[in-house]
């Protein structure tokens, strides 16, 4: 069993009687054991980092939808916040500005594309094969991720 925490230190394990309780896990013999705080349990509350990442993803997706007609220049922080269902100041927990949000959208589009293009060069393909495969990968990626590349084309 874990040692008792010192003053101000979080416990390694929690019991059902603590404020942040987790359910007991039963071993094969039917004995109850404590579940580590870090272990995810079905139905347990979402972690802070998971919640933050989900909100960040929602902001990025909302920005893509909202810029389809107006472009990044016509996008306001308040529009994005309203679309996501957060207060405008919460936006700043994820991005410093609308411009930084736009850069994150561009970066997101190219991270996976770079990896795919890198994979094309595996082995010893000829220059012609590299070009043909790269063009095919780019075309497939643009079709699969049309909203991102539409954003990039509009923003140039």
């Amino acid at each position: 069993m874990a040692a008792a925490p010192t003053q101000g230190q979080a416990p390694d394990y929690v019991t059902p009687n603590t404020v942040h309780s987790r359910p007991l896990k039963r071993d094969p013999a039917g004995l109850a054991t404590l579940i580590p705080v870090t272990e995810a349990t079905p139905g347990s509350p979402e972690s802070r980092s998971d919640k933050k990442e989900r909100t960040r993803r929602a902001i990025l997706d909302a920005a893509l939808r909202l810029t389809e007609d107006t472009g990044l220049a016509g996008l306001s922080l308040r529009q994005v916040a309203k679309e996501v269902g957060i207060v405008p100041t919460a936006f700043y927990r994820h991005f410093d500005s609308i411009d930084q949000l736009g850069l994150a959208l561009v970066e997101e589009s190219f991270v996976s594309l770079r990896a795919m293009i890198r994979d094309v060069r595996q082995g010893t393909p000829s220059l012609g094969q590299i070009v043909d495969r790269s063009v095919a990968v780019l075309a497939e990626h643009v079709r699969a991720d049309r909203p991102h590349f539409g954003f990039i084309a509009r923003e140039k």
Side-chain angles (χ1 to χ4, degrees):
M1 179 169 265
T6 59
Q7 186 71 18
Q9 182 183 16
D12 291 331
Y13 294 87
V14 290
T15 64
N17 297 328
T18 61
V19 175
H20 302 289
S21 66
R22 298 272 197 272
L24 292 175
K25 177 171 55 175
R26 302 275 176 197
D27 66 12
L31 299 173
T33 58
L34 297 175
I35 299 174
V37 174
T38 56
E39 184 178 321
T41 57
S44 67
E46 188 175 31
S47 75
R48 186 173 188 275
S49 62
D50 289 344
K51 219 178 218 183
K52 187 171 182 176
E53 183 54 37
R54 187 171 43 86
T55 302
R56 185 179 193 281
R57 176 79 260 147
I59 291 170
L60 290 165
D61 291 343
L64 272 180
R65 281 190 308 275
L66 292 169
T67 59
E68 284 180 359
D69 298 326
T70 63
L72 193 63
L75 186 65
S76 78
L77 182 146
R78 288 189 184 280
Q79 276 181 301
V80 175
K82 183 179 179 183
E83 181 80 10
V84 175
I86 59 174
V87 294
T89 55
F91 174 91
Y92 292 111
R93 293 184 195 131
H94 304 277
F95 302 99
D96 292 335
S97 65
I98 291 290
D99 289 339
Q100 187 190 36
L101 171 62
L103 290 173
L105 287 169
V106 171
E107 179 65 22
E108 188 174 71
S109 300
F110 287 115
V111 166
S112 59
L113 180 60
R114 275 192 297 254
M116 293 165 71
I117 296 288
R118 221 176 286 125
D119 288 345
V120 164
R121 293 186 228 123
Q122 295 297 323
T124 55
S126 69
L127 183 59
Q129 289 173 320
I130 291 173
V131 170
D132 291 343
R133 291 178 190 167
S134 296
V135 169
V137 163
L138 176 61
E140 178 185 327
H141 194 65
V142 168
R143 269 192 298 279
D145 207 0
R146 193 172 202 85
H148 275 100
F149 286 95
F151 172 79
I152 291 168
R154 280 189 306 276
E155 299 305 318
K156 298 180 198 100

